[in-house]
Amino acid sequence: MSTRTEREELLVARAYLSAVAEPPAPALTEFVAARGPRRAAEEIKRGGVPPPLADVVEARREHVDGAALLDAGRRVGARLVVPEDPDWPGELAECLVGARTVGLAGMAEPVALWVRGSAPPDVALANAVAVVGARAASGYGEHVAAELAHGVARSGFTVVSGAAYGIDGAAHRGALAAGGSTVAFLACGVDVDYPAGHGRLLKVIAQQGLVASEHPPGTPPRKHRFLVRNRLIAAAGQATVVVEAGARSGAGNTAHTADALGKPVLAVPGPVTSKTSVGCHDLVRTGTAVLATGAHDVLELLQPLGQVDAAPATDTRRRTDALHPHARRVHDALSGCDGSGVDALARECGLPLRTVRALLPELELSGLAVRTEAGWSATT
Amino acid sequence: MSTRTEREELLVARAYLSAVAEPPAPALTEFVAARGPRRAAEEIKRGGVPPPLADVVEARREHVDGAALLDAGRRVGARLVVPEDPDWPGELAECLVGARTVGLAGMAEPVALWVRGSAPPDVALANAVAVVGARAASGYGEHVAAELAHGVARSGFTVVSGAAYGIDGAAHRGALAAGGSTVAFLACGVDVDYPAGHGRLLKVIAQQGLVASEHPPGTPPRKHRFLVRNRLIAAAGQATVVVEAGARSGAGNTAHTADALGKPVLAVPGPVTSKTSVGCHDLVRTGTAVLATGAHDVLELLQPLGQVDAAPATDTRRRTDALHPHARRVHDALSGCDGSGVDALARECGLPLRTVRALLPELELSGLAVRTEAGWSATT
């Protein structure tokens, strides 16, 4: 049973580490990378680790109990996923390790992830698109978010978002309606129903996908935790789509984080008279985001050429499109009158008589012109 | 009176040339540039000019009467402006001469311009912005076009458009409402009220700006003439703004022409659910246009730095913005409870006790925290 004990010790250590510092804590993750999780947890608990780590863990190091957190998690249906697990979402974590290594401000990988739901995190996040946006969204924004999420989910991508009211909720719902996978990253414990009105939605997300957080169960949401959580959403998506965002918004923060992480950002435009589209328009204008009008634009960016179904474009061809410009000019001139002589037509078009004489039978054959007693006329 | 006669002869020749070939006619404008207008008109009328010019003028050369056209123009209040005039809009023409010279398809300068209105064309078009868009515009599109045109007109720019229903009409009206200048380029004679419902609008445009066309009075509108006319709008504007455009539209044609002429193009986004914004979104996505949300974006592009008033941005600052991130984290933690001890606050924030002890008086002084018998609380 030594293996079982070792695994339990590892989980206790990672649970302790997940709670002992407020994320993101580069000093902590560097220390864990250097010492390994169990020795790191022991040394921190014992005290005397060097600064800056000492400051980061000072307030909580004697108060956190890893085993108690694991028990509390189990009671609320949450489990701890750790980097040593085969289903650890390695790409998400590596992306943030890379950002920490180059010194990107506020970037560090999570030391563990608390999850509700049975989906293996590595599978759920293997092909993911982040869809985020304003809480105070418009009906237009929620409609577009749901449609877009539905489209990318139906194509096999997991929709990652933050479970907030407005765009986030619509994105999760769109993915669920498509029978697709969706993951909600929370700024609180995975057992905390926040926002309160999304308790049922979170339950369904856990059934069909995952609810995840780097905070231990019971952690309340705090303003700064939303910004910190946003980096997980940005890192989890192969691309981030902003559907509606005000001039200053959490979604804009997620977009800029995704951009800083080297991931493509897309933004959905809206009426320029709508406050909730200001952030999207800013992202496009400044070149941070490319403009997206639906799932098709997202898929085209992420999938190799030829894998995406053609856009549902309306057929805008006209019967006269195939005509030579001169024939089209003759047809235009015919449309304006009730029967023309060939000479008058040539003058009207500014084309040589022989050209008009040659073109009229061609138009007649195409069913675009007809000769009557009064002269030539257009049929359409 | 020889000067007067010479001038009249020049006008008769240019009037003849304006009607003898359907524009754009590079072969004609090259010939005029080489021979001068009077000799060019004489040789064409006499017959025997070499191809390709021969084909272009064949149908009309014996039927056009320059003097009669001038008389007809005068009867309907139209005059002919020619390159030899001091008020000839040289920049517009030079832009198209350049395009013809490099062989850009369908590009040639007008041989003359028929105008209604007393404004000198060179002055009216010295600082101009083209504002174009869909005929079947939405209420949203017309509103935005009018506001945008109003804004650029108030800043001293002439609004150039095509007098069509929808966006064009709204753009002219917006400029007129601002007491600004506006120029309508028509695809028919300047005496033809097209579209019929814009007769009154065209009259007001002529009073406050100009109605202009390269076609002689009485020329009916034809489909191909709209595309040909669009190059004058694109060449006249220092920039072209597309407000609403369907998937395939005349406004899109004007935008691509402006782009080909090396002029900046802007497009106003709209709901992705709106068919009339599809063309605008395509222009932005393909990089042909930059995204514009109002007059401010147009002015910023055209005016030297510092000349544009700041955008009417809403103040999005919060009282806590000036705080150090640690202080903001303490404030966040305070907001969640009704009185906290300093130890609990430090654990909640994950900050060292001494840091929290130092920050609380700072928050109190800023009026963001208050100490009561129960402990510390947030005031906002």
Side-chain angles (χ1 to χ4, degrees):
Chain A
M1 297 288 104
S2 124
T3 314
R4 194 195 148 114
T5 311
E6 272 179 31
R7 160 107 186 128
E8 189 66 17
E9 279 175 13
L10 171 68
L11 289 180
V12 169
R14 288 272 181 193
Y16 174 81
L17 294 167
S18 82
V20 75
E22 184 70 21
L28 176 67
T29 53
E30 272 166 35
F31 190 70
V32 173
R35 296 288 206 281
R38 276 178 289 188
R39 229 183 106 192
E42 277 163 30
E43 290 187 29
I44 290 169
K45 190 161 231 165
R46 199 168 58 221
V49 291
L53 179 57
D55 284 350
V56 171
V57 298
E58 187 204 293
R60 298 185 191 160
R61 66 179 182 80
E62 295 179 286
H63 302 275
V64 172
D65 181 338
L69 285 175
L70 281 178
D71 284 342
R74 280 163 192 149
R75 279 194 301 273
V76 295
R79 64 194 177 92
L80 190 67
V81 183
V82 298
E84 291 79 6
D85 288 336
D87 61 351
W88 174 249
E91 277 182 55
L92 183 167
E94 282 310 314
C95 169
L96 292 169
V97 170
R100 165 170 66 76
T101 311
V102 299
L104 209 58
M107 288 298 149
E109 68 278 21
V111 292
L113 281 175
W114 297 88
V115 301
R116 248 170 89 197
S118 53
D122 62 330
V123 174
L125 294 172
N127 286 297
V129 173
V131 180
V132 296
R135 275 169 300 187
S138 71
Y140 160 72
E142 294 196 12
H143 168 78
V144 173
E147 286 288 311
L148 190 144
H150 191 280
V152 298
R154 208 175 40 188
S155 291
F157 284 87
T158 294
V159 171
V160 175
S161 195
Y165 289 136
I167 299 302
D168 285 16
H172 288 302
R173 285 194 193 94
L176 293 168
S181 168
T182 188
V183 174
F185 281 101
L186 305 189
C188 52
V190 291
D191 59 326
V192 179
D193 281 345
Y194 186 88
H198 274 180
R200 227 196 86 65
L201 177 64
L202 286 165
K203 192 177 275 180
V204 182
I205 294 172
Q207 281 161 5
Q208 205 168 317
L210 275 179
V211 176
S213 174
E214 58 187 328
H215 302 287
T219 308
R222 292 275 181 260
K223 270 183 207 162
H224 74 272
R225 285 185 188 135
F226 288 92
L227 295 180
V228 168
R229 176 277 313 265
N230 288 350
R231 86 190 196 290
L232 298 181
I233 295 176
Q238 284 176 33
T240 293
V241 187
V242 184
V243 177
E244 276 193 321
R248 173 183 166 149
S249 68
N253 168 267
T254 307
H256 286 291
T257 302
D259 187 47
L261 292 173
K263 308 241 180 186
V265 178
L266 301 97
V268 175
V272 297
T273 47
S274 165
K275 276 191 183 174
T276 48
S277 286
V278 169
C280 290
H281 296 153
D282 282 347
L283 287 169
V284 172
R285 192 169 24 197
T286 55
T288 306
V290 298
L291 187 144
T293 58
H296 185 267
D297 291 328
V298 184
L299 297 172
E300 203 172 69
L301 195 81
L302 295 179
Q303 295 182 334
L305 280 175
Q307 285 196 18
V308 185
D309 294 341
T314 42
D315 191 348
T316 55
R317 284 170 302 177
R318 298 188 191 108
R319 285 182 71 198
T320 49
D321 280 359
L323 297 178
H324 184 278
H326 285 174
R328 220 159 39 226
R329 225 202 268 180
V330 174
H331 185 258
D332 283 356
L334 284 172
S335 310
C337 54
D338 267 348
S340 282
V342 181
D343 288 342
L345 267 176
R347 283 197 301 280
E348 166 62 31
C349 301
L351 291 172
L353 199 59
R354 66 179 184 285
T355 306
V356 176
R357 280 216 181 95
L359 289 170
L360 283 168
E362 193 189 297
L363 288 170
E364 193 177 24
L365 275 171
S366 313
L368 291 163
V370 64
R371 193 189 336 215
T372 63
E373 280 180 21
W376 287 89
S377 310
T379 54
T380 51
Chain B
M1 294 287 105
S2 125
T3 315
R4 198 196 146 111
T5 310
E6 273 178 30
R7 159 107 187 130
E8 190 67 17
E9 280 175 12
L10 172 69
L11 288 180
V12 169
R14 288 268 179 197
Y16 175 83
L17 294 167
S18 82
V20 76
E22 184 70 23
L28 175 67
T29 53
E30 272 165 36
F31 190 70
V32 173
R35 296 287 205 281
R38 276 178 287 188
R39 229 181 106 192
E42 277 161 30
E43 291 186 28
I44 290 167
K45 191 162 232 163
R46 198 169 57 223
V49 291
L53 179 58
D55 285 352
V56 171
V57 298
E58 186 203 292
R60 298 187 192 157
R61 65 178 183 82
E62 295 181 286
H63 303 274
V64 171
D65 180 339
L69 284 174
L70 281 178
D71 283 344
R74 280 165 192 150
R75 278 195 301 274
V76 297
R79 65 194 175 94
L80 190 68
V81 183
V82 298
E84 292 77 7
D85 287 336
D87 60 350
W88 175 250
E91 278 183 54
L92 183 167
E94 282 310 313
C95 169
L96 292 169
V97 171
R100 166 171 65 77
T101 311
V102 300
L104 208 59
M107 288 298 148
E109 67 279 21
V111 291
L113 281 174
W114 296 89
V115 302
R116 248 171 87 198
S118 52
D122 62 331
V123 175
L125 295 171
N127 286 297
V129 173
V131 181
V132 297
R135 274 167 301 185
S138 71
Y140 160 72
E142 295 195 13
H143 167 78
V144 173
E147 285 287 314
L148 190 144
H150 191 279
V152 297
R154 207 176 38 189
S155 291
F157 284 87
T158 293
V159 171
V160 174
S161 195
Y165 289 136
I167 299 302
D168 285 17
H172 289 299
R173 284 195 192 93
L176 292 169
S181 169
T182 189
V183 174
F185 280 101
L186 305 189
C188 52
V190 293
D191 58 326
V192 180
D193 280 345
Y194 186 88
H198 275 180
R200 226 196 86 66
L201 177 63
L202 286 165
K203 192 176 277 181
V204 181
I205 293 172
Q207 282 161 4
Q208 206 166 317
L210 275 180
V211 175
S213 174
E214 57 186 327
H215 302 289
T219 307
R222 292 277 180 257
K223 271 184 207 159
H224 73 272
R225 287 187 185 133
F226 288 94
L227 296 178
V228 169
R229 177 275 315 263
N230 289 349
R231 83 188 196 293
L232 299 182
I233 295 176
Q238 285 177 32
T240 292
V241 187
V242 184
V243 177
E244 276 193 320
R248 173 183 165 147
S249 67
N253 168 267
T254 308
H256 287 292
T257 303
D259 187 45
L261 293 174
K263 308 241 181 185
V265 179
L266 301 98
V268 176
V272 298
T273 47
S274 166
K275 278 192 182 174
T276 48
S277 286
V278 169
C280 290
H281 296 153
D282 282 347
L283 287 169
V284 172
R285 193 169 24 197
T286 56
T288 306
V290 298
L291 188 145
T293 59
H296 184 265
D297 291 329
V298 184
L299 297 172
E300 202 170 69
L301 195 80
L302 295 179
Q303 294 182 335
L305 281 174
Q307 285 195 16
V308 186
D309 294 342
T314 42
D315 192 347
T316 56
R317 285 170 301 175
R318 297 188 193 109
R319 282 184 72 196
T320 49
D321 279 0
L323 295 178
H324 183 277
H326 285 174
R328 213 151 51 219
R329 221 202 269 180
V330 174
H331 184 258
D332 281 357
L334 285 174
S335 310
C337 55
D338 268 349
S340 284
V342 181
D343 287 343
L345 267 177
R347 282 197 301 280
E348 167 62 32
C349 301
L351 290 171
L353 199 60
R354 66 177 183 287
T355 305
V356 177
R357 279 216 180 97
L359 289 171
L360 283 169
E362 192 188 298
L363 289 171
E364 193 177 24
L365 275 171
S366 314
L368 291 164
V370 63
R371 195 189 334 215
T372 62
E373 279 180 20
W376 287 90
S377 311
T379 52
T380 51

